[in-house]
């Protein structure tokens, strides 16, 4: 064996001419040597079994999700894999509610002492994972149309009932944030996850069907898209090699400042606050694109509306103006709202009953009503003329607050979505196109009931001289935006786009009042758990 292995190594290292049988140093060609074939050929061409065919598992949602609520499945065999919600043992029968995460409904599993595996009944506790096999039957109870008459049950993973933190009684959402790794097993957060998934799918479907191309924008950037300076640094200068973390005097400096030339990217780098600027580069070549990815804000806002890590949807439309932008935003929002109303009916009924009464009617209004548009100046006049006392002052030149936005859409326009356009340039980002009045920019915010601003967008400034002037006014280094300015030098076109915080959309669609409950693992000031 050792000699053969050595021969294999020699062959790999040998010059090409020695591998040719005509120049072989061996009298018998290696390929014909029985020992060589036994020890080397087998290793070079291993044999094995073929990979099995992937088969889609039948989920509870497919059984109970139809209009007949599972009646068509009566008499058919079914295997369910999931987690125990409840277990009720009676004298001759035991009812186990199993949820596999595919829908809100559990599968009621009926066990008798004749069921194979019934001896494990003491291990069938809330939170345990199980596999159950049986035949679907009409249910005698009024809560469901069908149930599973179990012939076999296997406890896959046990759960200690004395320490499992999620019991049958209702738990506060504040508490569930402390066990975010387990909260998807509750009705509320399972439903949020499914609606979030449906919104993401509908987002891709809308843009793909509309001819847009998905672009992956970078997470690490050297640019500040918003000009707000609220970004997380990305650096390798903070070494953790020393006990207790980095020593301050180990950070390289020059002239009293951090020497970024010694960092990984040789310059300051950040987690992105937006994929927009990068998206514009691809819109300048592919026409219509969209980005959908994570973004970050180092804003110390410990409120129910802010996250440090969140997802953004940012389409960019080439050869487009603000009117095109508003039309696209309106069509997108109505599309995704209709999608979840049609495809997440059970979950939406749950939200309508337990989270926000009337949410389905509110969403139907958004899906069916025409969107209204008005200028920022007219919105200010409307708010002042309302004679309503707001917490924040209303004055031309000040940004609209959530209370102003909600008054406009909920009260002034009776629940219709409203688009406010043409904002003062001083309160908007540098890249927005300046209007002819010299005071406003072609920006728009789409307002919806209960949330306020849901979408913010603008026509981008395609004129090089105007854009350079705005960078100077915003005290931003033009050298950092050299590539962004190049888009205006080489084949510039009118273009527009918008940004939508995905978690705010999830909030709007589910009625969840805290944005920390609209994302699987919230990142907020003082907490990066899980």
């Amino acid at each position: 064996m050792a000699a053969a292995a050595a021969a294999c190594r020699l062959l790999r290292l040998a010059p090409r001419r020695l591998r040719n049988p005509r120049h072989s140093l061996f009298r018998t060609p290696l390929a014909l040597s029985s020992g060589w074939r036994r020890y080397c050929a087998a290793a070079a061409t291993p044999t094995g079994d073929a990979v099995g065919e992937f088969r889609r598992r039948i989920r509870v949602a497919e059984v109970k999700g139809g209009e007949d609520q599972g009646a068509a499945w009566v008499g058919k065999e079914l295997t369910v894999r999931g987690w125990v919600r409840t277990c009720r043992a009676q004298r001759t029968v035991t009812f186990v509610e199993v949820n596999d995460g595919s829908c809100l409904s559990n599968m009621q599993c009926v066990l008798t002492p004749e069921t194979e595996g019934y001896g494990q009944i003491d291990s069938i506790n809330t939170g345990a994972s199980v596999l159950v096999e049986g035949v679907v039957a009409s249910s005698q109870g009024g809560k469901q149309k069908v149930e599973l008459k179990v012939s076999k049950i296997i406890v896959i993973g046990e759960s200690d009932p004395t320490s499992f933190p999620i019991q049958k009684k209702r738990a506060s959402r504040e508490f569930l944030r402390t066990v975010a790794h387990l909260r998807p097993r509750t009705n509320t957060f399972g439903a949020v996850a499914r609606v979030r998934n449906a919104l993401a799918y509908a987002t891709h479907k809308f843009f793909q069907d509309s001819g847009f191309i998905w672009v992956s924008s970078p997470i690490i950037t050297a640019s500040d898209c918003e000009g707000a300076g609220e970004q997380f640094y990305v650096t390798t200068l903070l070494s953790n090699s020393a006990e207790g973390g980095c020593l301050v005097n180990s950070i390289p400096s020059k002239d009293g400042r951090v020497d970024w030339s010694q960092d990984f990217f040789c310059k300051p780098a950040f987690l992105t606050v937006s994929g927009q600027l990068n998206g514009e580069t691809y819109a300048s070549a592919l026409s219509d694109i969209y980005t959908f990815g994570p973004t970050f804000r180092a804003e110390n806002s410990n409120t129910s509306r802010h996250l440090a890590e969140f997802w953004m949807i940012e389409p960019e439309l080439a050869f487009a103006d603000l009117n095109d932008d508003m039309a696209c935003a309106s069509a997108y929002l109505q599309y995704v709202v209709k999608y979840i109303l049609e495809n997440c009916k059970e979950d939406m009924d749950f939200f309508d009953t337990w989270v926000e009464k009337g949410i389905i009617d509110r969403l139907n209004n958004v899906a069916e009503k025409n969107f209204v548009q008005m200028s920022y100046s007219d919105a200010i006049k409307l708010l002042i003329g309302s004679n309503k006392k707001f917490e924040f002052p209303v004055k031309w030149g000040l940004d609209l607050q959530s209370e102003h936005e909600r008054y406009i859409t909920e009260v002034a326009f009776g629940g219709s979505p409203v688009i406010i356009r043409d904002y003062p340039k001083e309160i908007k980002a540098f890249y927005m196109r300046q209007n002819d009045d010299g005071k406003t920019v072609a920006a728009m915010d789409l307002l919806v009931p209960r949330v306020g601003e849901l979408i913010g967008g603008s026509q981008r400034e395609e004129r090089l001289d105007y854009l350079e002037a705005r960078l100077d006014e915003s005290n931003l280094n033009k050298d950092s935006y050299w590539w962004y300015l190049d888009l205006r030098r080489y084949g510039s076109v009118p273009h527009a786009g918008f940004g939508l915080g995905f978690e705010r959309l999830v909030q709007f669609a589910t009625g969840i009042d805290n944005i920390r409950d609209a994302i699987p693992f919230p990142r907020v000031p003082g907490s990066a758990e899980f």
Side-chain angles (χ1 to χ4, degrees):
M1 291 288 287
C8 287
R9 289 195 296 271
L10 285 172
L11 184 64
R12 287 196 298 270
L13 295 174
R16 185 178 300 273
R17 62 183 178 85
L18 294 183
R19 301 186 193 180
N20 190 322
R22 290 179 298 174
H23 304 293
S24 176
L25 298 179
F26 298 94
R27 290 186 178 180
T28 305
L30 294 178
L32 301 181
S33 168
S34 60
W36 183 266
R37 182 180 296 276
R38 184 168 65 246
Y39 296 120
C40 293
T45 57
T47 60
D49 295 330
V51 176
E53 178 187 356
F54 175 74
R55 295 184 180 180
R56 188 175 185 274
R57 263 204 317 264
I58 300 298
R59 308 291 298 274
V60 171
E62 296 173 65
V63 177
K64 303 182 69 175
E67 291 185 5
D68 63 358
Q69 300 178 37
W73 280 79
V74 171
K76 296 181 180 179
E77 293 185 352
L78 179 67
T79 298
V80 175
R81 300 167 179 83
W83 293 266
V84 175
R85 288 292 179 86
T86 61
C87 180
R88 295 178 289 116
Q90 299 180 0
R91 189 172 63 179
T92 58
V93 68
T94 296
F95 297 96
V96 180
E97 298 281 338
V98 179
N99 188 280
D100 67 358
S102 62
C103 61
L104 190 69
S105 298
N106 304 321
M107 176 60 74
Q108 178 167 282
C109 302
V110 184
L111 284 66
T112 65
E114 289 73 38
T115 299
E116 182 182 345
Y118 191 80
Q120 305 173 80
I121 197 70
D122 290 339
S123 299
I124 305 175
N125 302 306
T126 299
S129 56
V130 295
L131 181 149
V132 286
E133 296 177 355
V135 176
V136 178
S138 297
S139 178
Q140 302 302 312
K143 293 184 179 180
Q144 61 277 319
K145 289 289 183 68
V146 296
E147 60 190 16
L148 191 66
K149 300 294 185 183
V150 180
S151 58
K152 179 179 181 180
I153 185 167
I154 299 173
V155 176
I156 299 173
E158 296 185 5
S159 177
D160 183 354
T162 63
S163 61
F164 185 62
I166 300 176
Q167 298 298 327
K168 190 175 181 180
K169 62 181 182 180
R170 288 188 77 176
S172 70
R173 291 178 201 154
E174 290 78 12
F175 166 74
L176 291 175
R177 285 177 214 133
T178 68
V179 289
H181 59 305
L182 295 172
R183 69 178 182 171
R185 300 194 195 181
T186 65
N187 286 338
T188 299
F189 287 94
V192 169
R194 286 185 292 271
V195 171
R196 182 185 171 102
N197 170 71
L199 288 169
Y201 175 81
T203 294
H204 284 293
K205 184 167 176 55
F206 171 82
F207 287 115
Q208 292 290 329
D209 289 350
S210 301
F212 285 65
I213 294 175
W214 179 50
V215 172
S216 301
S217 55
I219 292 175
I220 299 174
T221 179
S223 301
D224 182 358
C225 178
E226 300 294 335
E230 297 166 340
Q231 293 177 282
F232 289 102
Y233 275 93
V234 176
T235 179
T236 58
L237 296 180
L238 302 178
S239 170
N240 284 318
S241 58
E243 186 177 350
C246 174
L247 298 174
V248 175
N249 59 11
S250 68
I251 300 175
S253 61
K254 185 176 182 181
D255 300 328
R257 296 176 177 272
V258 174
D259 185 2
W260 294 109
S261 67
Q262 297 190 45
D263 203 1
F264 188 90
F265 295 107
C266 299
K267 62 166 63 176
F270 314 91
L271 294 179
T272 186
V273 299
S274 170
Q276 176 204 314
L277 302 189
N278 300 98
E280 286 186 53
T281 67
Y282 272 72
S284 298
L286 306 178
S287 292
D288 295 336
I289 66 94
Y290 70 106
T291 71
F292 188 178
T295 52
F296 309 84
R297 266 299 150 90
E299 183 179 356
N300 193 13
S301 296
N302 213 339
T303 75
S304 62
R305 291 171 53 87
H306 292 87
L307 289 168
E309 176 186 276
F310 52 98
W311 285 65
M312 287 284 288
I313 299 161
E314 298 176 289
E316 288 292 326
L317 297 78
F319 307 99
D321 60 13
L322 187 63
N323 293 320
D324 299 313
D325 199 34
M326 293 189 296
C328 180
S330 302
Y332 163 77
L333 182 58
Q334 289 186 315
Y335 181 91
V336 296
V337 166
K338 288 178 182 176
Y339 186 88
I340 61 167
L341 289 173
E342 294 172 2
N343 294 277
C344 303
K345 291 182 179 179
E346 185 185 35
D347 289 324
M348 294 311 302
D349 286 340
F350 171 82
F351 291 127
D352 197 69
T353 302
W354 298 103
V355 177
E356 181 195 341
K357 301 285 186 184
I359 186 174
I360 292 178
D361 290 338
R362 174 166 64 79
L363 293 176
N364 274 320
N365 281 339
V366 171
E368 296 169 2
K369 287 187 175 181
N370 292 326
F371 287 26
V372 178
Q373 63 161 304
M374 66 188 307
S375 70
Y376 167 87
S377 297
D378 287 341
I380 293 297
K381 292 177 183 177
L382 184 155
L383 292 168
I384 293 175
S386 70
N387 295 319
K388 178 177 173 59
K389 290 186 177 180
F390 294 104
E391 179 182 354
F392 293 93
V394 178
K395 181 181 178 182
W396 200 97
L398 298 180
D399 207 356
L400 297 180
Q401 301 298 318
S402 178
E403 59 173 340
H404 308 143
E405 296 166 344
R406 291 188 60 179
Y407 176 84
I408 292 171
T409 183
E410 293 173 9
V411 180
F413 288 94
S416 293
V418 179
I419 297 178
I420 309 296
R421 59 178 292 167
D422 301 325
Y423 281 79
K425 69 176 184 179
E426 285 76 17
I427 62 174
K428 289 298 183 179
F430 71 91
Y431 51 76
M432 298 185 178
R433 193 183 200 277
Q434 186 171 308
N435 289 327
D436 294 339
D437 60 14
K439 298 188 302 180
T440 62
V441 290
M444 67 93 177
D445 286 341
L446 193 158
L447 316 180
V448 292
R450 197 176 179 274
V451 172
E453 180 198 341
L454 184 62
I455 294 175
S458 71
Q459 184 174 341
R460 316 311 191 189
E461 184 58 80
E462 85 280 9
R463 299 166 295 184
L464 179 61
D465 53 345
Y466 279 79
L467 184 57
E468 288 182 321
R470 286 290 285 144
L471 285 168
D472 289 336
E473 291 173 13
S474 304
N475 294 318
L476 294 172
N477 184 0
K478 286 187 287 190
D479 291 340
S480 298
Y481 296 91
W482 66 269
W483 54 272
Y484 189 66
L485 294 171
D486 268 2
L487 300 179
R488 278 73 183 169
R489 295 187 178 102
Y490 310 121
S492 182
V493 300
H495 59 291
F498 63 82
L500 167 68
F502 189 52
E503 282 68 34
R504 283 200 182 180
L505 177 62
V506 175
Q507 273 191 285
F508 174 67
T510 61
I512 292 293
D513 56 8
N514 195 313
I515 200 167
R516 302 179 190 197
D517 300 327
I519 192 169
F521 301 102
R523 299 293 184 249
V524 296
S527 177
E529 203 64 64
F530 308 102

